Amino acid sequence: MMDSGVPLCNACGEPVGSSSSGEVFVACHGCNYPLCRPCLNDEIKEGRQNCLRCGEPYVHVAVEKEDVNYEDQGARSTLASHLEDYQDEGGHARNLSSLSMVESETNGESGNPIWKNRVESWKEKKKEKKSSKKDGKTQIPVEQHMEENESLEAWQPLSSVVPISRNKLTPYRAVIIMRLIVLGLFFNYRITNPVDSAYGLWLTSVICEIWFAFSWVLDQFPKWSPINRETYIDRLSARYENNGEDYGLAAVDFFVSTVDPLKEPPLITANTVLSILSVDYPVEKVSCYVSDDGSAMLTFEALVETAEFARKWVPFCKKYSIEPRAPEFYFSQKIDYLKDKVQPSFVKERRAMKRDYEEYKVRINALVAKAQKTPEEGWVMQDGTPWPGNNPRDHPGMIQVFLGHSGVPDMEGNVLPRLVYVSREKRPGYQHHKKAGAMNALVRVSAILTNAPYILNLDCDHYVNNSKAVREAMCFMMDPQVGRDVCYVQFPQRFDGIDRSDRYANRNIVFFDINMKGLDGIQGPVYVGTGCVFNRQALYGYGPPSLPALPKSSCCAWCCCCRSKKAPKDQTEVYRDSRREDLNAAIFNLREIDNYDEYERSLLISQMSFEKTFGLSSVFIESTLMENGGVAESANPSTLIQEAIHVISCGYEEKTEWGKEIGWIYGSVTEDILSGFKMHCRGWRSIYCMPVRPAFKGSAPINLSDRLHQVLRWALGSVEIFLSRHCPLWYGYGGGRLKWLQRLAYINTIVYPFTALPLIAYCSLPAICLLTGKFIIPTLSNIASVWFLGLFISIILTSVLELRWSGVGIEDWWRNEQFWVIGGVSAHLFAVFQGFLKMLAGLDTNFTVTAKASDDTEFGELYVFKWTTLLIPPTTLLILNLVGVVAGFSDALNSGYESWGPLFGKVFFALWVILHLYPFLKGLMGRQNRTPTIVVLWSVLLASVFSLLWVKIDPFLSSSDGSKSEGCISIDC
């Protein structure tokens, strides 16, 4: 286990180790610059005698030949250490593999010789390690493969944390504590002062207020320590590149998923692909995988056209450094496109490129028009053969590789990034798990073909808006001080085509600019489904390198006799056991491998155990052990394609851990939250990256009905997680690696839909009070007035100070508050009932959306109205409160001046409801200020029935009032 007090080397990321005297090794006594002995020896041998940080001479005793105490360094037991001897001979870990494709074919399904050879290779490497220590050999890390005149900047951290100013954060925290105290005093008053004349109303209001306070705690405290981050792309280039030559930038596999090209326009998907192919990153390190889960020939033909157009578009983007690199959005920008352009040929080439793009759009539109009506005999490809995916629910797996090293170069003769079309096999009777299953299929295909150590996934409507976005992420992933335990880097979502007022809070500014910054100060942001760069090892279920390694045991790790014996009360043993038992860990930390002898390793990494986890593919299993990625140089491309087809077969995941412990996790329509939660439970952390220029941009539904259905889907996923074994309320406690504030944030993500029930009740109370003359609060005393005033002031101060440190505007905050109510009384309510029906009764209820009108003007979609059942509850609440206000004023006019005082309190709460539902009211009216008849009828009917029932039953009247009114029958009594 690595000592927590031993710093990490700033060059290679390994612990600096200890000197011969047993103390922590120090390379420079002037500034204590963290540098391990091997890296220091390399520095001095190459002529750099002075410290990179302070300029003082290094300690020359470091050049003496003595064995390095690797035991204090945690044994350097990642997979890279297994390959270090090959690196000494000039090879790179990314290009190494002990698996040959010939062996995988000749060994058939068993593949036993592969694992036998692996154990033999471990024996050889272990002997070589012992001999290398005796000879005083040192390992040269990747970062050292640079020129001798490397600048000081290249060795500085690639990123830094920018804490929020204390002047902003201290008052914010003080107000939170003050609000907690005021809440306690407020509830003490509310509970000890019931309203006897309206006990039911009072009890309902108190229960609702307690739930709101609980929800506020879950939402507020994960924002206790917000941070900002800053990246240094120049340092990344200086460290890993020199004069345009790549010295070790990691490869990245892009994933793009699409299903129905008639609902997700191929032109939008094509723009996303074009923006990926033209990113500012070495082309040999970029691969783009497009998952077509609808097996549509339209998508395939659109990609063919896109690959051809990319030959012109990619060199144009890189030559003139244009932004963004999605042509549809680049040419539609209303800015001065000549700004900062100095090449005289730019205008001419831009005009020609725009003409080429318009011709390309026409070809795509022609494909879409042709696809509107499917032929009776099915689609036929250009060579006359039937399209294999004519039946989207019953078709074989399909893979087609475009571009790349073996493909057609661009118009200037340069190699283009690889583009791969993937459509996984589907057969009746198999559960395919929608998007999560498609993403897991891409993980396996990419591991076979390219095996990049990092994966970036995008929705088909999210294009790369910042061509340096990958470099931004690599500033975290490739920083040895930061990236060792990072499972993913999440970027905020930004959107095009939203009206300025953002009526329905589509931008989610409060969540992305406040909540996510708060989580970044704990264990990292949640995964939001797109715009995220993953560490592939984290997706495989491996733990982070900082986890303690398993100590050597006297027998097999899974031996039954060992389980029966009492384990020693060692902290590491307890930590290991709780980690496995609590999380059902599918596999282990790669660092654990080196702590076993050869026989134990052969049992631990047996073919059977790996196949139970990853499936029956020796090639894929081999790729999972290559921590730095890469495929075998001797691999036959045609054989790799065959293996890739095998790993996307519909039965491949059966009896494996896919979707349970590794990859995207199944069991919820919001697989993103669940997958990120599993990684955080294993001890990983995530990073929130917010570059000045947004990394990615997408489209969002801006009309009311589509927005509510989007929120319904998210809330339904949260309810599904709440009812699953992965619920954060009870999952993942044993290992102790999920921080408590992080757990609060995850609990908040799965319980927020249940706020719909108290919210609807609370929004109904003002109307009930106005219609009945009752109120939920007794006559206020002076001290009670202080508690109420203090509560309102603390709520306002919390919001103001939160906006101050986050930089969010008050309009964005108010829109978020409004839609919290709108979504809560509509989509969240339906999600709760639908979730329980689906998870407990097996009934899957769908709420359909039907378009009723359209508008072709700017933001025309904002005024499109689509009938949906979700509109009924908020409309009913609106009418109830409006009727209540009218009734309240009418009653006050008839009762005299003494009734006006209590009226203002009731009207205030009713107006609070109406103001929060005002955007919903505007959405109902539309541009023509007309409401569909069916909405009016249903809402008036429900409101009328509710009012009549209330007058007839009046359940909240006290018994004394009821007895007095029993004798009053006539109107004039």
Side-chain angles (χ1 to χ4, degrees):
M1 179 175 175
M2 181 180 64
D3 294 333
S4 58
V6 179
L8 301 179
C9 175
N10 204 44
C12 66
E14 297 292 342
V16 296
S18 59
S19 62
S20 57
S21 60
E23 299 178 353
V24 176
F25 179 74
V26 178
C28 175
H29 288 302
C31 64
N32 290 330
Y33 183 63
L35 201 66
C36 65
R37 188 185 303 275
C39 294
L40 174 60
N41 292 343
D42 294 336
E43 289 284 309
I44 296 176
K45 290 177 182 178
E46 295 178 8
R48 293 188 285 270
Q49 301 287 335
N50 296 330
C51 176
L52 293 173
R53 177 183 292 175
C54 65
E56 293 293 328
Y58 284 126
V59 182
H60 288 285
V61 72
V63 193
E64 297 179 2
K65 293 184 179 180
E66 59 176 313
D67 292 341
V68 180
N69 190 347
Y70 285 108
E71 294 181 357
D72 291 337
Q73 297 184 33
R76 299 180 63 182
S77 55
T78 61
L79 186 63
S81 65
H82 295 315
L83 307 176
E84 62 183 354
D85 298 300
Y86 289 94
Q87 293 180 9
D88 288 335
E89 299 173 3
H92 192 279
R94 285 182 47 79
N95 299 322
L96 294 176
S97 173
S98 62
L99 169 69
S100 69
M101 296 305 303
V102 177
E103 287 178 336
S104 66
E105 288 183 338
T106 56
N107 292 332
E109 296 182 356
S110 61
N112 289 325
I114 297 176
W115 304 101
K116 183 178 180 181
N117 293 341
R118 172 164 291 282
V119 175
E120 294 298 329
S121 66
W122 272 328
K123 294 180 180 179
E124 295 177 2
K125 292 173 186 176
K126 189 173 182 179
K127 294 178 181 179
E128 293 177 3
K129 282 184 182 180
K130 292 179 180 179
S131 61
S132 64
K133 289 181 181 181
K134 293 179 180 180
D135 296 338
K137 294 181 180 179
T138 57
Q139 166 68 23
I140 301 177
V142 175
E143 292 86 345
Q144 294 293 334
H145 293 281
M146 298 183 181
E147 294 186 355
E148 295 182 359
N149 58 351
E150 188 65 51
S151 64
L152 175 64
E153 183 183 16
W155 295 99
Q156 297 300 313
L158 302 179
S159 64
S160 63
V161 174
V162 182
I164 306 295
S165 171
R166 289 184 176 272
N167 296 332
K168 297 180 180 179
L169 210 53
T170 302
Y172 174 66
R173 292 172 174 172
V175 169
I176 292 175
I177 299 299
M178 181 187 75
R179 184 171 171 179
L180 266 181
I181 297 173
V182 172
L183 267 177
L185 297 172
F186 170 79
F187 282 120
N188 178 67
Y189 169 79
R190 291 284 281 134
I191 294 173
T192 56
N193 292 271
V195 181
D196 296 329
S197 60
Y199 189 82
L201 294 177
W202 168 81
L203 182 62
T204 302
S205 66
V206 170
I207 293 174
C208 293
E209 289 163 0
I210 291 175
W211 178 265
F212 295 150
F214 171 70
S215 299
W216 172 75
V217 169
L218 293 180
D219 180 70
Q220 186 66 67
F221 279 89
K223 297 181 284 188
W224 184 261
S225 302
I227 61 172
N228 293 312
R229 293 184 185 272
E230 188 175 358
T231 56
Y232 308 103
I233 297 179
D234 294 339
R235 296 179 184 176
L236 180 75
S237 299
R239 182 179 296 189
Y240 293 103
E241 293 178 305
N242 187 19
N243 297 325
E245 296 182 5
D246 172 35
Y247 279 97
L249 282 175
V252 180
D253 288 336
F254 286 78
F255 291 175
V256 179
S257 59
T258 183
V259 180
D260 188 351
L262 298 181
K263 294 181 180 179
E264 300 165 334
L267 188 63
I268 299 299
T269 304
N271 271 269
T272 300
V273 171
L274 289 169
S275 67
I276 292 173
L277 297 178
S278 54
V279 293
D280 182 11
Y281 209 69
V283 293
E284 67 275 6
K285 299 299 180 69
V286 175
S287 299
C288 178
Y289 293 82
V290 179
S291 171
D292 177 18
D293 223 28
S295 66
M297 186 173 172
L298 173 57
T299 303
F300 179 81
E301 291 181 330
L303 274 187
V304 174
E305 293 287 349
T306 302
E308 182 62 29
F309 179 71
R311 298 178 59 208
K312 303 176 183 178
W313 176 250
V314 173
F316 172 75
C317 292
K318 295 188 175 182
K319 180 178 181 180
Y320 297 107
S321 301
I322 67 169
E323 297 284 359
R325 299 190 177 181
E328 181 69 22
F329 302 95
Y330 170 70
F331 289 120
S332 62
Q333 289 182 116
K334 298 179 180 179
I335 61 173
D336 181 13
Y337 63 84
L338 296 178
K339 185 179 180 181
D340 300 329
K341 297 297 184 292
V342 296
Q343 298 97 324
S345 60
F346 173 70
V347 175
K348 181 179 178 180
E349 292 194 28
R350 183 184 186 275
R351 190 179 296 117
M353 183 56 61
K354 186 175 183 180
R355 183 177 62 253
D356 290 338
Y357 177 64
E358 290 172 349
E359 294 174 355
Y360 163 75
K361 283 181 63 175
V362 171
R363 295 194 297 272
I364 296 294
N365 292 337
L367 294 175
V368 174
K370 185 181 71 172
Q372 296 300 318
K373 186 177 181 181
T374 305
E376 294 182 1
E377 66 278 5
W379 297 108
V380 179
M381 294 187 288
Q382 292 182 357
D383 59 359
T385 59
W387 171 248
N390 275 322
N391 186 346
R393 298 182 179 180
D394 187 3
H395 64 86
M398 297 177 283
I399 296 177
Q400 177 64 50
V401 181
F402 303 96
L403 308 177
H405 293 279
S406 59
V408 182
D410 64 22
M411 292 302 181
E412 298 181 359
N414 299 318
V415 176
L416 289 169
R418 183 178 305 189
L419 174 62
V420 184
Y421 169 86
V422 179
S423 182
R424 57 181 172 145
E425 181 187 19
K426 287 190 175 181
R427 301 295 181 192
Y430 287 91
Q431 179 61 261
H432 301 292
H433 302 290
K434 299 181 179 179
K435 181 183 176 181
M439 299 304 292
N440 284 337
L442 288 185
V443 171
R444 297 191 293 271
V445 169
S446 62
I448 298 295
L449 299 181
T450 51
N451 198 30
Y454 302 108
I455 294 171
L456 195 159
N457 86 289
L458 291 173
D459 288 343
C460 63
D461 60 346
H462 277 68
Y463 65 91
V464 181
N465 183 65
N466 183 348
S467 62
K468 297 185 182 295
V470 182
R471 295 178 180 269
E472 296 276 356
M474 290 302 109
C475 285
F476 299 106
M477 290 296 195
M478 300 190 69
D479 191 335
Q481 300 285 348
V482 178
R484 296 164 61 85
D485 294 340
V486 175
C487 55
Y488 60 82
V489 175
Q490 178 67 61
F491 291 88
Q493 292 186 18
R494 299 291 187 248
F495 302 98
D496 288 318
I498 298 177
D499 59 303
R500 292 183 179 178
S501 63
D502 192 13
R503 181 185 298 177
Y504 306 123
N506 282 281
R507 293 191 178 94
N508 279 329
I509 294 295
V510 172
F511 174 75
F512 285 111
D513 289 17
I514 297 181
N515 295 67
M516 296 287 266
K517 285 183 179 179
L519 290 176
D520 200 18
I522 309 172
Q523 200 172 341
V526 297
Y527 169 42
V528 297
T530 183
C532 187
V533 180
F534 285 97
N535 183 335
R536 187 182 285 268
Q537 295 295 315
L539 285 173
Y540 290 157
Y542 292 116
S546 63
L547 283 185
L550 295 180
K552 288 188 177 184
S553 60
S554 58
C555 61
C556 172
W558 297 315
C559 181
C560 297
C561 61
C562 292
R563 291 183 179 180
S564 61
K565 296 178 180 179
K566 291 185 178 180
K569 301 298 182 179
D570 182 74
Q571 186 177 3
T572 304
E573 288 283 337
V574 175
Y575 191 36
R576 179 194 67 182
D577 295 340
S578 64
R579 177 155 58 93
R580 281 184 172 163
E581 293 175 5
D582 181 66
L583 298 180
N584 273 334
I587 36 187
F588 42 82
N589 185 354
L590 282 176
R591 283 179 171 266
E592 298 175 3
I593 301 174
D594 206 43
N595 282 352
Y596 289 92
D597 59 28
E598 291 78 8
Y599 177 70
E600 292 167 346
R601 289 171 186 160
S602 64
L603 294 175
L604 187 65
I605 310 184
S606 64
Q607 182 183 8
M608 182 176 297
S609 64
F610 262 100
E611 287 181 349
K612 287 181 179 179
T613 300
F614 294 114
L616 298 172
S617 173
S618 298
V619 182
F620 176 74
I621 291 173
E622 176 70 14
S623 71
T624 65
L625 294 175
M626 302 181 70
E627 190 176 19
N628 295 318
V631 296
E633 292 181 343
S634 59
N636 186 347
S638 62
T639 310
L640 289 181
I641 292 293
Q642 294 175 4
E643 191 69 20
I645 292 290
H646 168 60
V647 298
I648 60 172
S649 60
C650 56
Y652 183 83
E653 294 184 355
E654 287 191 344
K655 298 181 181 180
T656 67
E657 297 296 337
W658 284 103
K660 302 173 185 176
E661 298 293 337
I662 61 177
W664 271 258
I665 306 301
Y666 304 149
S668 170
V669 294
T670 52
E671 70 288 329
D672 44 9
I673 297 293
L674 193 53
S675 302
F677 174 63
K678 291 281 286 188
M679 295 181 196
H680 283 137
C681 283
R682 291 191 179 103
W684 294 92
R685 69 153 296 126
S686 54
I687 297 289
Y688 195 49
C689 182
M690 294 183 64
V692 177
R693 180 180 179 86
F696 311 101
K697 279 191 175 182
S699 57
I702 63 174
N703 67 70
L704 178 60
S705 304
D706 287 347
R707 174 66 168 141
L708 287 178
H709 273 266
Q710 182 188 56
V711 174
L712 170 64
R713 179 183 175 275
W714 295 342
L716 177 59
S718 296
V719 175
E720 289 174 340
I721 297 174
F722 177 81
L723 298 174
S724 72
R725 75 180 185 92
H726 291 118
C727 178
L729 286 169
W730 50 72
Y731 181 82
Y733 280 95
R737 284 160 293 144
L738 187 67
K739 297 184 179 179
W740 280 100
L741 289 180
Q742 191 79 14
R743 184 178 296 278
L744 280 183
Y746 274 112
I747 292 175
N748 187 44
T749 62
I750 58 109
V751 302
Y752 78 88
F754 297 97
T755 305
L757 301 175
L759 187 59
I760 285 183
Y762 208 71
C763 288
S764 303
L765 289 178
I768 296 173
C769 292
L770 287 166
L771 290 172
T772 61
K774 309 294 181 181
F775 200 39
I776 59 176
I777 301 175
T779 304
L780 293 179
S781 61
N782 291 334
I783 189 66
S785 301
V786 171
W787 301 145
F788 275 90
L789 186 62
L791 180 61
F792 282 113
I793 291 177
S794 64
I795 291 174
I796 294 172
L797 284 178
T798 304
S799 302
V800 170
L801 293 175
E802 198 166 77
L803 299 181
R804 182 169 174 251
W805 67 253
S806 66
V808 173
I810 190 170
E811 183 179 6
D812 292 317
W813 173 83
W814 175 237
R815 292 300 186 207
N816 182 78
E817 293 294 310
Q818 287 179 313
F819 202 80
W820 175 75
V821 176
I822 295 172
V825 299
S826 57
H828 296 172
L829 176 68
F830 281 84
V832 172
F833 288 107
Q834 186 178 357
F836 275 95
L837 286 175
K838 181 178 179 181
M839 301 298 291
L840 302 180
L843 299 177
D844 193 0
T845 306
N846 293 318
F847 301 96
T848 57
V849 180
T850 306
K852 298 294 182 183
S854 62
D855 197 326
D856 294 332
T857 58
E858 185 179 9
F859 304 125
E861 189 185 351
L862 180 66
Y863 306 100
V864 172
F865 186 86
K866 303 175 183 179
W867 162 246
T868 171
T869 321
L870 300 177
L871 301 177
I872 295 177
T875 307
T876 304
L877 285 175
L878 263 175
I879 294 177
L880 272 177
N881 280 276
L882 290 172
V883 170
V885 171
V886 175
F889 276 103
S890 300
D891 183 67
L893 290 173
N894 294 329
S895 302
Y897 293 106
E898 65 276 2
S899 63
W900 285 91
L903 174 67
F904 284 125
K906 302 173 186 176
V907 171
F908 172 79
F909 285 110
L911 291 178
W912 179 88
V913 175
I914 294 171
L915 284 176
H916 279 78
L917 294 176
Y918 179 68
F920 176 83
L921 181 62
K922 290 185 66 177
L924 287 182
M925 296 303 177
R927 177 170 290 176
Q928 296 81 16
N929 295 325
R930 292 182 301 181
T931 305
T933 307
I934 191 170
V935 176
V936 176
L937 287 177
W938 270 102
S939 302
V940 171
L941 178 63
L942 289 176
S944 302
V945 170
F946 186 87
S947 301
L948 291 174
L949 286 174
W950 182 270
V951 173
K952 182 67 177 176
I953 301 173
D954 206 0
F956 293 110
L957 282 175
S958 62
S959 59
S960 59
D961 293 340
S963 62
K964 291 179 181 179
S965 61
E966 284 180 358
C968 298
I969 301 176
S970 66
I971 298 177
D972 297 330
C973 70

